[in-house]
């Protein structure tokens, strides 16, 4: 078992770090303050392949592994958590189209999504179903050569500013087997967007409700088979959990980096903060927790790449642990800044706000605990 990055992975990380330092970090505070969605910068990311990291080369993607993608997203999130989180969503949408779309749908959108020329949103969550994807109420009824969509989705990242939607809707009876997935032009007649939500964090990406009223979608824009949408969603969530965990790790790493710099500069009682043993212990604990979280996330990504039967359990464990650790590390780093950590002149309060939502997304951490416990109680933990 080799925990070291190979030459390609080091190169990917270096490229992503340079992009984060030059294009993301200098603007992240302003984007957060003004709730600005940096479309032009996202398209620059697309020029480097960051909009289609694990999409296949057939649509212009890089065809990388989920582990490779995690390494890249970690570096990007050190520059701007919120913008990187959107990039992870766009990557998932691009991959879903490329892997499950019909030739017609892939030809229409594939390369433009892969390059970032077009941007995508993922429409799963509903007002009354939340994380319970199998309970969704949005419907898609077949009408000749089209499906007609009716219903609403909420908490949709990028909504109103993106060009393409992957929409989960019910084509059959109750339960998971009645759900299908569709590729939808975001400007289609009958689609309307709610107000932009005022959020605690993730302010560089808009979040809105989407309403579908008699929206006609060509039948050849069905992704996969009718009734196969829930399986597509679950595959997406496994990767999504790694992605959101990775964003927590990258942000926490940057919080530690900034806290270290501050401790070496700031003096209290005639000594630098870095000279106080109590604070040294605190930094040691933060780094130890972070390294453990990073290794668990990379293990989960490797399991997913290998098609391991327990990959969903590992993804749930990684998401649960890394998002808790990431938030806690950012909170501890803010504490090291004292009162300065609470003001917007410093990035700590933004790190705390942006990582807090990671414990909720892609299934709350309570749901992650259910996934893990069911696996352990059913089959034991010795083989994990």
């Amino acid at each position: 078992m080799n925990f070291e990055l190979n030459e390609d992975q080091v190169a990917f990380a270096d490229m992503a770090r340079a992009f984060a330092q030059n294009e993301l970090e200098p603007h992240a505070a302003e984007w957060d303050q003004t709730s600005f969605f940096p479309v032009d910068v996202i398209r620059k990311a697309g020029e480097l392949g960051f909009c289609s990291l694990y999409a296949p080369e057939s649509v212009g993607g890089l065809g990388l592994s989920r582990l490779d993608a995690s390494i890249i997203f970690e570096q990007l999130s050190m520059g701007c958590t919120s913008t990187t989180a959107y990039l992870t969503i766009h990557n998932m949408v691009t991959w879903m189209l490329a892997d499950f779309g019909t030739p017609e749908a892939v030809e229409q959108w594939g390369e433009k999504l892969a390059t970032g020329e077009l941007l995508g949103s993922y429409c799963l969550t509903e007002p009354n179903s939340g994380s319970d994807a199998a309970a969704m109420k949005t419907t898609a009824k077949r009408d000749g050569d089209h499906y007609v969509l009716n219903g609403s989705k909420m908490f949709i990242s990028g909504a109103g500013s993106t060009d393409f939607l992957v929409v989960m809707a019910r084509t059959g009876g109750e339960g998971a087997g009645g759900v299908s997935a569709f590729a939808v032009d975001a400007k289609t007649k009958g689609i309307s967007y709610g107000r932009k939500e005022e959020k605690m964090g993730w302010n560089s990406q808009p979040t809105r409700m989407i309403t579908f009223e008699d929206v006609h979608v060509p039948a050849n824009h069905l992704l996969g088979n009718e009734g196969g949408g829930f399986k597509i969603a679950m595959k997406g969530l496994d990767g999504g959990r790694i992605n959101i965990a990775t964003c927590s790790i990258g942000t926490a790493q940057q919080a530690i980096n900034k806290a270290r710099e501050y401790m070496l500069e700031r003096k209290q009682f005639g000594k630098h903060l870095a000279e106080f043993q109590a604070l040294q212990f605190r930094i040691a604990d933060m780094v130890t927790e972070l390294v453990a979280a990073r290794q668990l996330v990379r293990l989960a990504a490797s399991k997913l790449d290998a098609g391991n039967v327990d990959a969903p359990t590992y993804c749930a464990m990684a998401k649960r642990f890394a998002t808790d650790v990431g938030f806690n590390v950012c909170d501890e780093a803010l504490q090291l800044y004292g009162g300065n950590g609470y003001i917007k002149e410093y990035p700590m309060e933004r790190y705390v706000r942006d990582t807090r939502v990671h414990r909720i997304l892609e299934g709350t951490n309570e749901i992650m605990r259910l996934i893990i416990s069911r696996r352990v109680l059913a089959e034991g933990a010795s083989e994990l």
Side-chain angles (χ1 to χ4, degrees):
M1 185 178 294
N2 186 0
F3 290 95
E4 300 301 321
L5 303 187
N6 62 39
E7 290 184 6
D8 287 343
Q9 290 167 336
V10 170
F12 294 147
D14 289 344
M15 181 171 63
R17 186 182 306 113
F19 185 85
Q21 291 173 344
N22 295 326
E23 301 291 345
L24 300 180
E25 186 178 7
H27 311 291
E30 179 184 356
W31 295 341
D32 173 70
Q33 186 81 15
T34 60
S35 296
F36 179 74
F37 187 40
V39 172
D40 289 345
V41 174
I42 291 170
R43 290 195 171 122
K44 283 186 180 180
E47 293 173 4
L48 296 175
F50 295 157
C51 285
S52 52
L53 292 174
Y54 48 87
E57 295 179 6
S58 60
V59 298
L62 296 185
L64 299 179
S65 69
R66 296 307 179 100
L67 176 57
D68 294 338
S70 177
I71 291 164
I72 291 169
F73 286 140
E74 179 178 343
Q75 294 299 322
L76 294 176
S77 62
M78 292 171 68
C80 181
T81 314
S82 172
T83 305
T84 302
Y86 171 74
L87 278 169
T88 71
I89 296 166
H90 177 86
N91 268 266
M92 179 176 66
V93 165
T94 304
W95 162 76
M96 284 182 171
L97 174 73
D99 267 32
F100 301 102
T102 62
E104 295 85 356
V106 171
E107 182 178 1
Q108 182 173 348
W109 287 299
E111 289 189 9
K112 292 181 179 180
L113 288 170
T115 61
E117 179 181 345
L118 298 181
L119 300 180
S121 293
Y122 181 55
C123 305
L124 174 66
T125 303
E126 297 188 357
N128 295 314
S129 63
S131 299
D132 185 5
M136 70 177 60
K137 300 301 181 184
T138 297
T139 60
K141 297 184 177 179
R142 186 69 183 256
D143 182 15
D145 294 335
H146 290 77
Y147 287 89
V148 182
L149 271 61
N150 283 282
S152 59
K153 301 290 182 178
M154 69 184 302
F155 301 146
I156 307 305
S157 292
S161 299
T162 52
D163 311 284
F164 172 81
L165 311 174
V166 169
V167 182
M168 298 293 168
R170 187 165 298 285
T171 53
E174 295 297 314
V179 176
S180 299
F182 297 89
V184 180
D185 188 322
K187 307 299 190 295
T188 304
K189 181 180 178 181
I191 297 177
S192 59
Y193 297 92
R195 64 178 175 83
K196 186 166 72 171
E197 301 289 353
E198 299 291 331
K199 307 191 298 289
M200 174 181 175
W202 274 27
N203 289 319
S204 73
Q205 51 168 292
T207 302
R208 291 184 173 90
M209 177 178 283
I210 305 181
T211 302
F212 302 89
E213 295 184 89
D214 293 332
V215 176
H216 285 68
V217 177
N220 62 9
H221 288 181
L222 176 71
L223 299 180
N225 299 318
E226 189 170 300
F230 186 78
K231 291 181 180 179
I232 295 173
M234 291 304 100
K235 287 183 178 180
L237 284 175
D238 285 340
R241 286 163 184 160
I242 292 171
N243 291 343
I244 210 67
T246 299
C247 288
S248 291
I249 291 169
T251 309
Q253 180 65 67
Q254 187 72 339
I256 290 174
N257 294 346
K258 296 292 185 182
R260 173 187 174 273
E261 293 172 4
Y262 187 80
M263 290 173 67
L264 291 170
E265 294 173 0
R266 175 78 168 175
K267 282 188 175 182
Q268 290 285 280
F269 307 104
K271 295 196 299 185
H272 288 102
L273 295 184
E275 297 179 66
F276 290 92
Q277 192 176 63
L279 302 186
Q280 294 171 3
F281 287 174
R282 184 172 292 181
I283 281 284
D285 288 342
M286 292 160 63
V287 171
T288 301
E289 293 283 307
L290 178 61
V291 170
R294 176 183 291 119
Q295 296 305 326
L296 181 54
V297 170
R298 291 182 179 178
L299 174 61
S302 296
K303 295 284 187 182
L304 192 59
D305 287 330
N308 187 284
V309 66
D310 278 321
T313 304
Y314 279 92
C315 292
M317 288 192 290
K319 192 270 180 182
R320 202 292 297 165
F321 188 64
T323 57
D324 281 349
V325 167
F327 174 77
N328 291 336
V329 166
C330 291
D331 189 44
E332 287 290 328
L334 184 152
Q335 191 71 19
L336 292 172
Y337 270 66
N340 284 335
Y342 201 67
I343 62 176
K344 291 182 180 292
E345 180 181 349
Y346 299 92
M348 289 300 151
E349 56 84 31
R350 172 163 47 88
Y351 297 160
V352 170
R353 288 187 289 106
D354 280 345
T355 55
R356 181 59 183 87
V357 73
H358 297 175
R359 300 166 80 178
I360 301 170
L361 296 173
E362 309 296 348
T364 65
N365 281 1
E366 288 69 31
I367 291 175
M368 298 305 100
R369 291 182 174 95
L370 283 175
I371 293 170
I372 299 162
S373 64
R374 285 173 180 171
R375 162 61 176 83
V376 171
L377 292 173
E379 302 179 42
S382 61
E383 298 303 319
L384 285 174

